[in-house]
Amino acid sequence: MSYADVNGLRLWYEEHGDGPPLVLLHGGYGATEMFAPILPVLARRRRVIAVDLQGHGRTADVARPLRYESMADDVAALLRHLDLPGAQLLGYSLGGGVALRTAIQHPDLVRRLVLVSTPFRRQGWYPEVLAAMSSQDERAGERMRGTPPHQLYTRIAPRPQDWPLLWAKTGDLLRREYDWTPQVAALAVPTLLVFADADAIPVAHMAEFYGLLGGGHRDPGGDGTARPTSRLAVLPGLTHQDVPTTPLLPQLALPFLTHQLH
């Protein structure tokens, strides 16, 4: 458990277990603790490197906006700092966007990718989710005081007084339009998409995402050899908030990360 000085940022990361490296990237307003329920299972098979992204958890904010692209550069710099030229990435929600951008911007550093409840463009969220995102600012952060995310932030953040600032900068990020369709269609890294069937992202967007990765265009044949290297999982009975802690996630992710893909 340590800090790495990357891109003018003291980036917190912690390591658990042994095996091929797997980087975990948490969701918005969270920290590495977000994966606590599934971390022991993952660490039995992987060298897990859990990261607190800019302004989150134990990583203090710096004088730059929150952007998927710059946070992806931070992750890439951490991989180079740790001398890990070919890691596996698992990112959830905000962290999924960062993981996806890492694979787009630094394809030589990413061996396999697991994206959990993550869209490839901003309009991939339901309209009511976009409306809620657009309203996030310092005042919203003040209203969230006393909630579990705030309690965790107060306990571990280097500057607990930055809580409203995190909300202001995250709101600025989430209001920005983006569409990574061409970059996703060009991805070569094998990718597992994981969603809940009652996610904050419509099923139609999930299918479109899978289609960009080569899935869902034809019958795979009797022996399955024509199937794409990427995979899609839609977990029943869960919501956006449930996915990063369900035991189903490591049950799906570990075989995908381990087995040779055809």
Side-chain angles (χ1 to χ4, degrees):
M1 301 181 184
S2 185
Y3 284 99
D5 292 320
V6 299
N7 302 333
L9 186 72
R10 294 193 73 227
L11 188 68
W12 168 267
Y13 68 96
E14 54 187 72
E15 298 194 50
H16 306 266
D18 191 29
L22 171 63
V23 178
L24 300 184
L25 302 174
H26 60 79
Y29 309 110
T32 60
E33 281 80 357
M34 186 171 282
F35 294 109
I38 64 172
L39 184 57
V41 177
L42 295 173
R44 285 199 287 268
R45 301 268 298 278
R46 289 291 181 277
R47 174 189 173 187
V48 176
I49 302 158
V51 178
D52 284 353
L53 296 167
Q54 176 192 342
H56 290 75
R58 300 163 186 82
T59 299
D61 199 12
V62 291
R64 73 180 192 197
L66 282 181
R67 296 291 183 264
Y68 292 109
E69 293 82 358
S70 58
M71 289 188 282
D73 286 341
D74 295 339
V75 173
L78 175 64
L79 293 176
R80 294 189 176 100
H81 171 80
L82 297 174
D83 193 22
L84 298 176
Q88 303 166 341
L89 269 59
L90 186 156
Y92 161 67
S93 196
L94 173 76
V98 176
L100 178 54
R101 286 304 314 183
T102 305
I104 290 170
Q105 296 166 211
H106 306 275
D108 56 314
L109 295 178
V110 181
R111 190 159 290 164
R112 294 201 187 182
L113 189 61
V114 180
L115 302 178
V116 183
S117 292
T118 303
F120 63 88
R121 61 169 172 258
R122 183 174 182 269
Q123 296 301 319
W125 300 99
Y126 279 115
E128 55 268 38
V129 176
L130 289 173
M133 289 177 173
S134 295
S135 68
Q136 294 180 16
D137 56 17
E138 291 190 11
R139 291 172 296 177
E142 292 292 346
R143 292 193 295 271
M144 293 298 289
R145 288 188 180 275
T147 62
H150 176 249
Q151 291 172 357
L152 175 63
Y153 188 87
T154 299
R155 179 165 58 84
I156 67 176
R159 296 195 301 266
Q161 66 271 23
D162 283 355
W163 176 251
L165 178 63
L166 174 60
W167 278 77
K169 295 181 79 167
T170 302
D172 176 63
L173 169 67
L174 298 178
R175 284 186 288 272
R176 292 176 62 87
E177 291 293 337
Y178 64 90
D179 186 342
W180 301 328
T181 298
Q183 296 93 330
V184 170
L187 273 181
V189 60
T191 301
L192 169 64
L193 303 176
V194 183
F195 298 94
D197 62 350
D199 214 306
I201 298 163
V203 174
H205 186 82
M206 305 174 195
E208 186 180 358
F209 203 160
Y210 187 47
L212 289 174
L213 296 171
H217 296 294
R218 62 184 183 276
D219 182 86
D223 57 1
T225 54
R227 64 176 176 250
T229 56
S230 293
R231 303 283 189 264
L232 170 65
V234 182
L235 306 184
L238 300 178
T239 69
H240 185 77
Q241 286 70 29
D242 300 328
V243 184
T245 58
T246 176
L248 292 173
L249 181 54
Q251 290 176 27
L252 290 166
L254 285 170
F256 172 78
L257 296 171
T258 302
H259 298 154
Q260 182 176 353
L261 299 175
H262 301 284

